[in-house]
Short mmCIF file of all heavy atoms in Angstrom, two decimals:
data_model
loop_
_atom_site.label_atom_id
_atom_site.label_comp_id
_atom_site.label_asym_id
_atom_site.label_seq_id
_atom_site.Cartn_x
_atom_site.Cartn_y
_atom_site.Cartn_z
N ARG A 171 -159.18 -20.55 -23.98
CA ARG A 171 -159.12 -20.51 -22.51
C ARG A 171 -160.06 -19.46 -21.95
O ARG A 171 -160.37 -18.47 -22.62
CB ARG A 171 -157.70 -20.22 -22.06
CG ARG A 171 -156.66 -21.14 -22.69
CD ARG A 171 -155.28 -20.81 -22.20
NE ARG A 171 -154.26 -21.44 -23.02
CZ ARG A 171 -152.96 -21.31 -22.82
NH1 ARG A 171 -152.52 -20.56 -21.82
NH2 ARG A 171 -152.09 -21.91 -23.61
N ASP A 172 -160.48 -19.66 -20.70
CA ASP A 172 -161.35 -18.68 -20.05
C ASP A 172 -160.59 -17.40 -19.76
O ASP A 172 -161.12 -16.30 -19.94
CB ASP A 172 -161.92 -19.27 -18.76
CG ASP A 172 -162.77 -18.26 -18.01
OD1 ASP A 172 -163.74 -17.76 -18.62
OD2 ASP A 172 -162.46 -17.96 -16.85
N LYS A 173 -159.36 -17.52 -19.30
CA LYS A 173 -158.52 -16.36 -19.08
C LYS A 173 -157.08 -16.73 -19.35
O LYS A 173 -156.71 -17.90 -19.31
CB LYS A 173 -158.69 -15.80 -17.67
CG LYS A 173 -158.24 -16.73 -16.56
CD LYS A 173 -158.44 -16.08 -15.20
CE LYS A 173 -158.00 -17.01 -14.07
NZ LYS A 173 -158.18 -16.38 -12.74
N VAL A 174 -156.26 -15.72 -19.63
CA VAL A 174 -154.86 -15.97 -19.98
C VAL A 174 -153.97 -15.03 -19.18
O VAL A 174 -154.39 -13.94 -18.77
CB VAL A 174 -154.59 -15.76 -21.49
CG1 VAL A 174 -155.44 -16.70 -22.31
CG2 VAL A 174 -154.82 -14.32 -21.91
N GLU A 175 -152.75 -15.47 -18.92
CA GLU A 175 -151.73 -14.58 -18.36
C GLU A 175 -150.93 -14.11 -19.56
O GLU A 175 -150.05 -14.80 -20.06
CB GLU A 175 -150.87 -15.34 -17.35
CG GLU A 175 -150.08 -14.41 -16.42
CD GLU A 175 -149.08 -13.52 -17.15
OE1 GLU A 175 -148.03 -14.03 -17.49
OE2 GLU A 175 -149.40 -12.33 -17.40
N PHE A 176 -151.24 -12.93 -20.03
CA PHE A 176 -150.84 -12.48 -21.36
C PHE A 176 -149.32 -12.34 -21.52
O PHE A 176 -148.79 -12.57 -22.61
CB PHE A 176 -151.53 -11.16 -21.69
CG PHE A 176 -151.43 -10.78 -23.13
CD1 PHE A 176 -152.26 -11.36 -24.08
CD2 PHE A 176 -150.51 -9.84 -23.55
CE1 PHE A 176 -152.16 -11.02 -25.42
CE2 PHE A 176 -150.40 -9.48 -24.88
CZ PHE A 176 -151.24 -10.07 -25.83
N ILE A 177 -148.61 -11.96 -20.48
CA ILE A 177 -147.17 -11.72 -20.62
C ILE A 177 -146.43 -13.03 -20.89
O ILE A 177 -145.70 -13.15 -21.88
CB ILE A 177 -146.60 -11.02 -19.37
CG1 ILE A 177 -147.29 -9.67 -19.15
CG2 ILE A 177 -145.09 -10.83 -19.51
CD1 ILE A 177 -147.19 -8.70 -20.31
N SER A 178 -146.60 -14.01 -20.01
CA SER A 178 -145.85 -15.27 -20.19
C SER A 178 -146.42 -16.14 -21.30
O SER A 178 -145.68 -16.83 -21.99
CB SER A 178 -145.81 -16.05 -18.88
OG SER A 178 -147.12 -16.41 -18.47
N GLU A 179 -147.76 -16.09 -21.49
CA GLU A 179 -148.40 -16.99 -22.44
C GLU A 179 -148.47 -16.43 -23.86
O GLU A 179 -148.69 -17.19 -24.81
CB GLU A 179 -149.80 -17.36 -21.95
CG GLU A 179 -149.77 -18.17 -20.67
CD GLU A 179 -151.14 -18.50 -20.13
OE1 GLU A 179 -152.15 -18.04 -20.70
OE2 GLU A 179 -151.21 -19.21 -19.11
N PHE A 180 -148.27 -15.12 -23.99
CA PHE A 180 -148.26 -14.57 -25.36
C PHE A 180 -147.07 -13.65 -25.61
O PHE A 180 -146.27 -13.91 -26.51
CB PHE A 180 -149.55 -13.81 -25.68
CG PHE A 180 -149.53 -13.28 -27.09
CD1 PHE A 180 -149.95 -14.08 -28.13
CD2 PHE A 180 -149.05 -12.01 -27.38
CE1 PHE A 180 -149.89 -13.62 -29.45
CE2 PHE A 180 -148.99 -11.53 -28.68
CZ PHE A 180 -149.42 -12.35 -29.72
N ALA A 181 -146.94 -12.57 -24.86
CA ALA A 181 -145.95 -11.53 -25.20
C ALA A 181 -144.53 -12.08 -25.27
O ALA A 181 -143.80 -11.84 -26.25
CB ALA A 181 -146.03 -10.38 -24.19
N GLN A 182 -144.12 -12.82 -24.24
CA GLN A 182 -142.77 -13.38 -24.24
C GLN A 182 -142.62 -14.46 -25.31
O GLN A 182 -141.59 -14.52 -26.01
CB GLN A 182 -142.42 -13.92 -22.87
CG GLN A 182 -142.26 -12.85 -21.80
CD GLN A 182 -142.05 -13.42 -20.41
OE1 GLN A 182 -142.08 -14.64 -20.20
NE2 GLN A 182 -141.82 -12.56 -19.44
N GLU A 183 -143.63 -15.30 -25.44
CA GLU A 183 -143.59 -16.36 -26.45
C GLU A 183 -143.50 -15.77 -27.85
O GLU A 183 -142.72 -16.24 -28.69
CB GLU A 183 -144.83 -17.24 -26.34
CG GLU A 183 -144.79 -18.23 -25.19
CD GLU A 183 -143.76 -19.33 -25.41
OE1 GLU A 183 -143.55 -19.73 -26.57
OE2 GLU A 183 -143.16 -19.78 -24.42
N PHE A 184 -144.30 -14.76 -28.11
CA PHE A 184 -144.27 -14.11 -29.43
C PHE A 184 -142.90 -13.53 -29.71
O PHE A 184 -142.32 -13.74 -30.79
CB PHE A 184 -145.34 -13.02 -29.49
CG PHE A 184 -145.27 -12.18 -30.74
CD1 PHE A 184 -145.74 -12.67 -31.95
CD2 PHE A 184 -144.72 -10.91 -30.71
CE1 PHE A 184 -145.67 -11.91 -33.11
CE2 PHE A 184 -144.65 -10.13 -31.86
CZ PHE A 184 -145.13 -10.63 -33.07
N ALA A 185 -142.34 -12.77 -28.76
CA ALA A 185 -141.04 -12.13 -28.97
C ALA A 185 -139.94 -13.16 -29.23
O ALA A 185 -139.10 -12.99 -30.12
CB ALA A 185 -140.68 -11.26 -27.76
N VAL A 186 -139.94 -14.26 -28.46
CA VAL A 186 -138.92 -15.29 -28.63
C VAL A 186 -139.06 -15.98 -29.98
O VAL A 186 -138.07 -16.21 -30.69
CB VAL A 186 -139.01 -16.32 -27.48
CG1 VAL A 186 -138.20 -17.57 -27.80
CG2 VAL A 186 -138.53 -15.71 -26.17
N ARG A 187 -140.29 -16.33 -30.34
CA ARG A 187 -140.50 -17.05 -31.60
C ARG A 187 -140.17 -16.19 -32.82
O ARG A 187 -139.58 -16.68 -33.79
CB ARG A 187 -141.94 -17.56 -31.68
CG ARG A 187 -142.24 -18.63 -30.64
CD ARG A 187 -143.62 -19.22 -30.79
NE ARG A 187 -143.90 -20.14 -29.70
CZ ARG A 187 -144.85 -21.06 -29.72
NH1 ARG A 187 -145.63 -21.18 -30.79
NH2 ARG A 187 -145.04 -21.86 -28.68
N VAL A 188 -140.53 -14.93 -32.76
CA VAL A 188 -140.19 -14.03 -33.87
C VAL A 188 -138.68 -13.87 -33.97
O VAL A 188 -138.11 -13.90 -35.07
CB VAL A 188 -140.88 -12.67 -33.70
CG1 VAL A 188 -140.31 -11.65 -34.70
CG2 VAL A 188 -142.38 -12.81 -33.92
N GLN A 189 -138.01 -13.72 -32.83
CA GLN A 189 -136.56 -13.54 -32.86
C GLN A 189 -135.88 -14.78 -33.45
O GLN A 189 -134.99 -14.65 -34.31
CB GLN A 189 -136.03 -13.27 -31.45
CG GLN A 189 -134.52 -13.14 -31.35
CD GLN A 189 -133.96 -11.91 -32.05
OE1 GLN A 189 -134.70 -11.18 -32.71
NE2 GLN A 189 -132.67 -11.69 -31.93
N CYS A 190 -136.27 -15.96 -33.01
CA CYS A 190 -135.67 -17.19 -33.55
C CYS A 190 -135.94 -17.32 -35.04
O CYS A 190 -135.05 -17.70 -35.81
CB CYS A 190 -136.21 -18.41 -32.80
SG CYS A 190 -135.52 -18.61 -31.14
N THR A 191 -137.15 -17.01 -35.45
CA THR A 191 -137.50 -17.11 -36.87
C THR A 191 -136.71 -16.11 -37.69
O THR A 191 -136.20 -16.43 -38.77
CB THR A 191 -139.01 -16.89 -37.06
OG1 THR A 191 -139.73 -17.84 -36.27
CG2 THR A 191 -139.42 -17.05 -38.51
N PHE A 192 -136.58 -14.89 -37.19
CA PHE A 192 -135.83 -13.85 -37.90
C PHE A 192 -134.36 -14.26 -38.07
O PHE A 192 -133.76 -14.05 -39.12
CB PHE A 192 -135.94 -12.53 -37.15
CG PHE A 192 -135.22 -11.38 -37.79
CD1 PHE A 192 -135.68 -10.83 -38.97
CD2 PHE A 192 -134.08 -10.85 -37.21
CE1 PHE A 192 -135.02 -9.76 -39.58
CE2 PHE A 192 -133.40 -9.78 -37.80
CZ PHE A 192 -133.87 -9.24 -38.99
N LEU A 193 -133.78 -14.86 -37.02
CA LEU A 193 -132.37 -15.24 -37.06
C LEU A 193 -132.14 -16.57 -37.78
O LEU A 193 -131.00 -16.89 -38.13
CB LEU A 193 -131.81 -15.35 -35.64
CG LEU A 193 -131.78 -14.06 -34.81
CD1 LEU A 193 -131.21 -14.35 -33.42
CD2 LEU A 193 -130.97 -12.97 -35.50
N GLY A 194 -133.21 -17.36 -37.95
CA GLY A 194 -133.06 -18.69 -38.53
C GLY A 194 -132.71 -19.74 -37.51
O GLY A 194 -132.14 -20.77 -37.85
N TRP A 195 -133.08 -19.52 -36.24
CA TRP A 195 -132.78 -20.48 -35.17
C TRP A 195 -133.96 -21.44 -34.99
O TRP A 195 -135.11 -21.07 -35.22
CB TRP A 195 -132.50 -19.74 -33.87
CG TRP A 195 -131.20 -18.99 -33.89
CD1 TRP A 195 -130.45 -18.66 -34.99
CD2 TRP A 195 -130.51 -18.45 -32.76
NE1 TRP A 195 -129.33 -17.95 -34.62
CE2 TRP A 195 -129.34 -17.82 -33.26
CE3 TRP A 195 -130.75 -18.45 -31.40
CZ2 TRP A 195 -128.42 -17.19 -32.43
CZ3 TRP A 195 -129.85 -17.82 -30.56
CH2 TRP A 195 -128.68 -17.20 -31.06
N PRO A 196 -133.70 -22.68 -34.57
CA PRO A 196 -134.75 -23.70 -34.49
C PRO A 196 -135.69 -23.50 -33.30
O PRO A 196 -135.38 -22.77 -32.35
CB PRO A 196 -133.96 -25.00 -34.33
CG PRO A 196 -132.68 -24.58 -33.66
CD PRO A 196 -132.36 -23.22 -34.22
N ALA A 197 -136.83 -24.19 -33.36
CA ALA A 197 -137.86 -24.06 -32.32
C ALA A 197 -137.37 -24.53 -30.96
O ALA A 197 -137.89 -24.08 -29.93
CB ALA A 197 -139.11 -24.83 -32.73
#
Side-chain angles (χ1 to χ4, degrees):
R171 308 180 194 179
D172 177 57
K173 64 180 180 180
V174 301
E175 197 298 282
F176 193 79
I177 300 302
S178 62
E179 295 177 356
F180 181 86
Q182 292 174 356
E183 283 291 327
F184 173 76
V186 167
R187 293 185 185 199
V188 169
Q189 177 67 355
C190 285
T191 303
F192 181 70
L193 297 179
W195 290 16

